[in-house]
């Protein structure tokens, strides 16, 4: 058996450990959720030509989703 054939115990799926990376992601998600729900008033958002009036939290959620999708694409591309 070569060293490449054996999996290290901390690389297994479902180990349930909280790594610094996972903790940072959890903290960021909690901060985004708190920030979104603290900003619930209506805001005017100007898209190229039309101006849309929408609750600010919907705009923030949309931006967070677009950011997550972009981040996921970059991570997937790096692998």
């Amino acid at each position: 058996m070569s060293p490449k054939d054996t999996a290290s115990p901390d690389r297994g799926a479902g180990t349930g450990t909280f790594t610094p990376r996972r903790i940072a992601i959890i903290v960021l998600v909690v901060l985004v959720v708190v920030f979104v729900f603290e900003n619930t008033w209506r805001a005017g958002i100007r898209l190229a030509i039309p101006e849309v009036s929408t609750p600010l939290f919907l705009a923030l959620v949309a931006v967070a989703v677009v950011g997550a999708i972009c981040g996921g694409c970059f991570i997937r591309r790096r692998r």
Side-chain angles (χ1 to χ4, degrees):
M1 256 185 170
S2 71
K4 291 182 182 178
D5 292 338
T6 60
S8 64
D10 62 346
R11 290 185 157 213
T15 58
T17 60
F18 285 105
T19 63
R21 184 179 198 171
R22 287 181 184 169
I23 292 171
I25 290 172
I26 290 170
V27 168
L28 285 174
V29 167
V30 168
L31 287 174
V32 165
V33 169
V34 168
F35 184 75
V36 164
F37 287 108
E38 286 293 323
N39 294 294
T40 56
W41 62 84
R42 294 189 75 74
I45 300 170
R46 189 160 200 66
L47 305 169
I49 295 173
E51 184 169 332
V52 179
S53 179
T54 184
L56 186 57
F57 74 90
L58 288 178
L60 292 171
V61 168
V63 170
V65 168
V66 169
I69 290 170
C70 290
C73 289
F74 284 121
I75 289 172
R76 189 171 299 160
R77 205 169 159 198
R78 195 182 299 173
R79 290 180 186 171

